[in-house]
Amino acid sequence: DVNESKLDLDIDWPSVFKQAQTVSKTNPFWNELSGSNPFVHDIAASNRNENNKHLSILKEKPYLFSKISSNRDSLDSSGDELDIDCLLRRTSTRRSGRSKSVSDFLDIVDNRRLNPHKAVPQSTAASDMTWLQSDREAYKMAWLSHRQLTRSCLDLEAMSHSPGWAQTQATDIHVVCRLDHEGGSVQLPDSDINIHVPVGHVLPGEFQEVGLKAILNPPLSCNNELSSTVSPLIELTLSNLNTSEAIFLEVKVAAKVKNDPLSQVMSDIVCFFSLNKEGPFKKLENCYIYQDTIQVKLTDLSHVMYAVIAVQASKIQPPATNVWDYIHRTVSVGIYGPKYIHPSFTAVFTVFGHNYIPGKLTICDIKKGGKSMPPVVFQLWGKHTFLLEKPQDLNISLVSCDPDFQVKMEDQCRNIKKEELKTGEMVRQQFLFSMLGCREMHFFVFLVQIKILKSSQVTEFHVTTPDPAPKLSGIINRPKRLQSRKEIKSAPWLLIPTIKYPKFQDKALSVNTYGVALKTVLRQNKIDYLLEYFKGDTIALLGEDKVKAIGQTKMKEWYVGVLRRKIGLVHCKNVKVISKEQAMDTADSELTTRNLVEQIALPFKKLTYIYSVVLSTVSESVYDWRALAEVLGYSHMSLDDFNEAHVDKESERVAHVVKKMKQDCHANKKKRLFLYELIVALLKIDCQGLVARLTQDTIILTSAVKLGKSWRELAEKLARLTRQQIEAYEVPHQGKSGAVALEMMWKPAYDFLYTWAAHYGDGYRDVLQDLQSALDKMKNPVTKQWRELTGALILVNCMEVLRASAFSKMEEE
């Protein structure tokens, strides 16, 4: 490259290398320091009173920044989070454009100054940073402000004891997009916050840079007795104010106004707007609300604007005591922890006043040994949402399901006051985990329980930790996933609450959305879980969520529908969606809740499972043996039917009921299937979280068995594993010949899929959908013949409508 050669000539490279070598010889930590702090070279140069304007920090060719790479994003790597891809890869050490540090940007600024005519591809950047490009010192200070810390400034003693604290990545969640005259939409990643820019917003030839940022703590002024925020504070930036069209902000919020007349009259979902982060905020009038989504028309545009969605009451009329009494409020919780677990680590339970749960969170108040630790960026391990009708005191407890780990005694239970919830701010509680003895580190599962004080309501969910930090020498010894799952013990039985399971009601399904078939679809070769229909048929749609799956030959988007008492998928493009009021004849699309349960559980007739894992999982998660026995057809059972060994603990009684059903099914194999009947029973006592877990576990195991040696292709598609990483999964299962036998190939496949799925936390829908999409894209998709994964997606998409129809809300209250 001519320009590159010219750049090399302009800089006195021998003197540069000579200076660098001098410093590195006198400072044994130079390589580590310079790798984490790109300004160390500048500092060293200033200390020597040398004024070399062309000293470059970049140790590779600047033109590499513009190249597209398929390597995974390593922006969040830190001292203990070395990219394992780099450890196993023996190719070039050059970094891709996605993993450039700001020091690399600085060199591009230098290159522009040295070679003003050299074209550099544009990259997305926040509009308020452009002025820094001409001032290197200002850019440096902005970089240091933007990063939480640099490793060279950390407490080295603290780092040596816990290698998880040296994380320095930026944590502001924001996105910037450049749009032209045609307009478009900008979505904040992993959120339901969108900006819609119409066609003609800017003149032809001009551009608009739209920036979106979520500030997790909303303004205090918007949270009081008459108002409560239900979204994060949204910062919106525009680069161009020469506009002719308004823009639209669309947000899905964490609340719905109750349907009773008083709530409908007294309260409303509104948008507060300000040009300053601190306010004052004014209410906007141009708002359109549909269920839990609000769309706001923004006409008074500025370079920086702030908006927050809230529920506002005109006044509080008894028996209401605050605005919460007028709404159904959803509370979101997230469990955060380090990227890799250590023998001693902290998990952070976080409550949000909105439904936006970021993937990373900066924790500034971590303490260790009585000393405050530097700020650290934690990863999201799991999340959960539940309905909270009014501000109430909450009791939070975390219990390890693995005997190798425990929660520090004084940290096992924490309380959150209702006054903290009223503020709308993020509330955090820390729980310290430690490993018992000197056993080998491995991931594990723990139980999170949220109990509403002065009430019997209990919400709980399980969280799987990430793996321990990878070993840096040799091939990674991965734990045997099957063995780990078998060894998971139940939580101490004294901590298990008494739960009253709701009574299942066999009645007509409540459907709000229908679809009218626009064409006739009849298949010569029938395909499981795909509906057939005639033009004009009215199909009941069980929700508006879409499923992505392969049809006859290619990937399509589908609705879950009901027609002629059969549940299946209907291609989105083949139906016109209408409301319940618009539907003319719905007789062919009626279905009872009993038929729904029996049909959505059908995939379990063909799924592979490990009986011991199913038994332990169910016995840990069902807290009333009588409720389970009744729906399984053993209502006549009493305590006299149990052995003395099964009487003490509820989990053992539940296990006894499950074993009894297993024996009966085994005795009548032709007519009864154990896993199918168990899933039907669990759905009838509303154990949807448990059903979701069993669904994910059995789908992963069955997929591994179906894939065989094809798992390598899937691993490349799902996680972009290298050949060395794939071999690392296969090493523990190799035979005497040094290869994995074909009939044993499911074991490394299972190890990989289980590890991959664990990083989704509680997002079982995402696991199933992403697995379906990846399998469909393989060269010879197993999903063309094996459709049970599609059936599992139908199941998890029907859970909400099942709960709404089969279980009485009055009874739950």
Side-chain angles (χ1 to χ4, degrees):
D1 190 301
V2 176
N3 291 327
E4 194 178 327
S5 300
K6 186 179 178 183
L7 176 63
D8 288 347
L9 292 171
D10 287 345
I11 299 177
D12 184 9
W13 290 110
S15 62
V16 171
F17 288 126
K18 186 177 179 181
Q19 292 161 3
Q21 289 168 2
T22 303
V23 177
S24 63
K25 287 178 180 177
T26 57
N27 187 346
F29 304 107
W30 181 258
N31 291 333
E32 286 77 11
L33 290 173
S34 62
S36 61
N37 188 343
F39 302 113
V40 168
H41 286 280
D42 289 359
I43 297 167
S46 64
N47 288 343
R48 293 191 304 269
N49 295 319
E50 294 173 1
N51 189 19
N52 186 354
K53 293 182 179 179
H54 301 307
L55 183 62
S56 176
I57 304 163
L58 196 59
K59 296 176 183 176
E60 57 234 343
K61 297 178 182 179
Y63 73 89
L64 285 175
F65 173 71
S66 62
K67 288 195 173 182
I68 299 173
S69 170
S70 61
N71 293 344
R72 72 182 226 186
D73 190 351
S74 59
L75 274 172
D76 58 351
S77 64
S78 65
D80 70 324
E81 299 171 358
L82 296 175
D83 190 346
I84 197 64
D85 291 346
C86 298
L87 295 174
L88 296 174
R89 193 182 299 121
R90 295 180 182 177
T91 56
S92 172
T93 57
R94 293 171 178 171
R95 286 176 293 174
S96 69
R98 296 176 64 195
S99 62
K100 292 292 179 185
S101 67
V102 177
S103 63
D104 304 340
F105 281 91
L106 295 177
D107 279 84
I108 289 174
V109 174
D110 283 351
N111 294 344
R112 282 180 176 170
R113 187 171 66 248
L114 293 169
N115 296 290
H117 302 296
K118 183 174 179 178
V120 178
Q122 280 189 326
S123 62
T124 303
S127 57
D128 59 350
M129 298 292 282
T130 53
W131 64 275
L132 293 170
Q133 294 181 359
S134 60
D135 189 340
R136 183 185 180 92
E137 197 63 31
Y139 210 141
K140 182 198 303 184
M141 295 310 297
W143 183 89
L144 289 171
S145 298
H146 186 54
R147 308 287 272 194
Q148 299 298 318
L149 294 166
T150 55
R151 295 185 188 96
S152 57
C153 299
L154 287 177
D155 182 343
L156 295 179
E157 183 183 356
M159 281 175 58
S160 66
H161 285 94
S162 181
W165 303 122
Q167 304 177 65
T168 66
Q169 61 266 37
T171 57
D172 287 338
I173 309 299
H174 65 276
V175 64
V176 181
C177 189
R178 194 182 193 204
L179 303 175
D180 59 13
H181 174 73
E182 295 298 321
S185 296
V186 181
Q187 182 178 27
L188 192 68
D190 302 319
S191 78
D192 294 306
I193 302 171
N194 299 271
I195 285 290
H196 302 293
V197 179
V199 177
H201 171 70
V202 294
L203 298 174
E206 292 192 6
F207 296 92
Q208 178 70 282
E209 264 190 15
V210 181
L212 263 181
K213 178 179 173 182
I215 300 169
L216 298 178
N217 282 332
L220 291 174
S221 60
C222 297
N223 284 282
N224 49 59
E225 293 299 322
L226 294 176
S227 173
S228 179
T229 56
V230 288
S231 82
L233 179 62
I234 301 163
E235 181 184 274
L236 171 63
T237 59
L238 301 176
S239 62
N240 186 357
L241 297 184
N242 184 23
T243 61
S244 56
E245 292 285 342
I247 61 176
F248 296 87
L249 172 66
E250 184 178 284
V251 183
K252 187 174 182 180
V253 297
K256 285 175 66 176
V257 177
K258 292 180 180 177
N259 290 327
D260 62 275
L262 182 63
S263 299
Q264 290 286 326
V265 171
M266 291 295 179
S267 62
D268 198 7
I269 297 177
V270 300
C271 177
F272 290 117
F273 179 84
S274 176
L275 298 181
N276 297 305
K277 184 178 177 180
E278 293 77 19
F281 287 85
K282 66 176 182 178
K283 185 172 82 171
L284 296 182
E285 301 299 331
N286 299 322
C287 298
Y288 170 74
I289 301 163
Y290 176 72
Q291 293 183 352
D292 59 351
T293 302
I294 182 170
Q295 192 176 77
V296 185
K297 185 177 182 180
L298 302 177
T299 53
D300 298 330
L301 303 180
S302 177
H303 283 299
V304 183
M305 297 164 283
Y306 296 89
V308 64
I309 311 302
V311 177
Q312 187 181 45
S314 53
K315 68 175 184 176
I316 304 300
Q317 183 170 318
T321 56
N322 59 53
V323 68
W324 281 52
D325 293 323
Y326 294 136
I327 59 176
H328 292 298
R329 179 69 180 260
T330 300
V331 172
S332 300
V333 297
I335 301 294
Y336 291 86
K339 187 171 184 179
Y340 299 113
I341 60 171
H342 304 282
S344 177
F345 64 87
T346 299
V348 179
F349 176 95
T350 310
V351 180
F352 298 94
H354 42 76
N355 54 13
Y356 175 57
I357 305 178
K360 296 179 183 178
L361 191 66
T362 303
I363 310 296
C364 301
D365 52 358
I366 294 284
K367 290 192 175 181
K368 191 167 184 180
K371 293 174 60 178
S372 294
M373 301 299 296
V376 58
V377 177
F378 272 9
Q379 316 288 320
L380 178 64
W381 285 0
K383 57 185 177 180
H384 192 75
T385 58
F386 64 97
L387 197 66
L388 190 63
E389 293 292 351
K390 59 182 179 180
Q392 299 180 73
D393 294 343
L394 302 179
N395 176 262
I396 315 300
S397 61
L398 268 61
V399 180
S400 172
C401 298
D402 192 309
D404 291 347
F405 294 86
Q406 70 173 10
V407 184
K408 193 176 178 181
M409 189 60 68
E410 55 265 34
D411 288 346
Q412 283 185 353
C413 290
R414 295 293 182 91
N415 292 330
I416 294 177
K417 299 293 185 183
K418 63 181 180 181
E419 289 75 17
E420 296 178 277
L421 298 176
K422 280 185 179 180
T423 65
E425 290 192 332
M426 195 169 43
V427 183
R428 297 196 300 259
Q429 294 290 352
Q430 297 177 16
F431 295 83
L432 181 64
F433 282 83
S434 59
M435 190 174 183
L436 299 175
C438 300
R439 299 177 177 87
E440 184 180 355
M441 283 289 295
H442 58 83
F443 75 93
F444 66 97
V445 178
F446 61 88
L447 177 72
V448 181
Q449 290 183 338
I450 308 167
K451 185 175 182 180
I452 298 177
L453 298 179
K454 302 179 182 178
S455 167
S456 60
Q457 184 179 343
V458 174
T459 298
E460 60 179 30
F461 60 101
H462 288 84
V463 175
T464 303
T465 70
D467 289 326
K471 297 176 182 178
L472 304 186
S473 58
I475 299 295
I476 301 168
N477 295 320
R478 297 184 179 274
K480 295 180 180 179
R481 308 294 170 187
L482 283 171
Q483 185 178 345
S484 298
R485 291 303 295 267
K486 287 180 183 178
E487 291 176 353
I488 291 175
K489 301 295 192 297
S490 60
W493 70 279
L494 289 173
L495 295 174
I496 294 176
T498 303
I499 293 179
K500 181 183 178 183
Y501 288 96
K503 188 172 180 62
F504 180 81
Q505 300 174 17
D506 183 16
K507 61 181 183 180
L509 215 57
S510 176
V511 178
N512 297 319
T513 310
Y514 291 83
V516 177
L518 302 176
K519 60 187 287 190
T520 297
V521 175
L522 297 174
R523 298 179 182 88
Q524 189 172 0
N525 298 320
K526 306 299 180 187
I527 300 178
D528 292 341
Y529 305 110
L530 300 189
L531 286 179
E532 295 184 334
Y533 41 87
F534 296 98
K535 184 177 181 179
D537 278 345
T538 301
I539 304 169
L541 303 182
L542 305 184
E544 295 186 33
D545 290 336
K546 297 175 182 178
V547 173
K548 293 179 182 177
I550 197 168
Q552 195 86 33
T553 55
K554 53 187 179 181
M555 290 269 291
K556 296 178 181 178
E557 288 190 334
W558 312 79
Y559 291 121
V560 179
V562 176
L563 183 63
R564 288 181 272 278
R565 296 188 178 180
K566 185 178 179 182
I567 299 173
L569 300 179
V570 54
H571 188 198
C572 295
K573 292 185 177 179
N574 290 350
V575 292
K576 179 184 178 183
V577 179
I578 59 174
S579 65
K580 184 178 181 179
E581 292 74 21
Q582 293 173 301
M584 300 291 289
D585 182 10
T586 61
D588 284 345
S589 55
E590 292 177 354
L591 195 74
T592 65
T593 51
R594 181 176 62 84
N595 288 334
L596 174 66
V597 168
E598 291 172 352
Q599 285 198 51
I600 62 178
L602 284 175
F604 290 91
K605 288 187 174 183
K606 299 180 180 179
L607 290 178
T608 305
Y609 65 96
I610 300 172
Y611 172 66
S612 59
V613 174
V614 172
L615 179 65
S616 62
T617 303
V618 174
S619 59
E620 290 167 11
S621 306
V622 176
Y623 305 123
D624 186 350
W625 71 270
R626 293 181 189 275
L628 182 61
E630 185 175 345
V631 291
L632 285 173
Y634 302 125
S635 54
H636 59 277
M637 286 184 72
S638 66
L639 288 175
D640 296 334
D641 298 316
F642 292 91
N643 298 329
E644 289 185 9
H646 295 139
V647 175
D648 291 341
K649 296 182 181 179
E650 191 71 19
S651 60
E652 292 174 351
R653 297 172 191 166
V654 172
H656 180 75
V657 174
V658 176
K659 289 176 183 176
K660 167 70 174 167
M661 198 260 286
K662 173 67 173 174
Q663 292 169 358
D664 292 347
C665 290
H666 187 73
N668 191 4
K669 288 182 180 179
K670 292 184 179 179
K671 292 186 178 180
R672 301 186 64 181
L673 290 166
F674 165 72
L675 190 59
Y676 170 76
E677 292 192 15
L678 179 62
I679 294 297
V680 169
L682 293 174
L683 288 172
K684 285 185 176 181
I685 58 174
D686 200 28
C687 288
Q688 292 193 355
L690 176 56
V691 170
R693 182 178 172 189
L694 291 172
T695 303
Q696 180 173 312
D697 287 353
T698 51
I699 283 291
I700 285 175
L701 180 59
T702 311
S703 300
V705 173
K706 293 286 182 183
L707 282 167
K709 64 180 181 180
S710 299
W711 83 270
R712 298 163 181 165
E713 180 190 346
L714 180 70
E716 291 175 359
K717 289 184 181 296
L718 272 180
R720 286 179 284 191
L721 293 192
T722 63
R723 186 190 304 170
Q724 290 93 335
Q725 287 175 296
I726 291 172
E727 289 174 357
Y729 277 105
E730 295 185 353
V731 164
H733 309 291
Q734 290 175 352
K736 294 180 180 179
S737 63
V740 181
L742 192 59
E743 63 273 14
M744 301 296 288
M745 194 61 79
W746 69 270
K747 291 187 175 182
Y750 181 87
D751 288 354
F752 162 71
L753 284 172
Y754 188 90
T755 306
W756 166 77
H759 289 86
Y760 281 75
D762 234 19
Y764 59 90
R765 284 196 191 190
D766 294 334
V767 170
L768 299 178
Q769 182 60 80
D770 289 354
L771 181 58
Q772 172 84 57
S773 300
L775 290 172
D776 288 343
K777 291 175 183 176
M778 293 177 67
K779 292 177 182 177
N780 296 304
V782 295
T783 44
K784 274 196 172 183
Q785 291 77 36
W786 177 62
R787 296 275 177 174
E788 274 56 56
L789 176 51
T790 306
L793 278 169
I794 291 175
L795 181 148
V796 297
N797 277 278
C798 289
M799 283 185 173
E800 290 182 14
V801 70
L802 171 64
R803 175 172 282 172
S805 300
F807 302 102
S808 170
K809 294 181 180 178
M810 294 295 293
E811 183 183 332
E812 290 176 6
E813 291 171 1

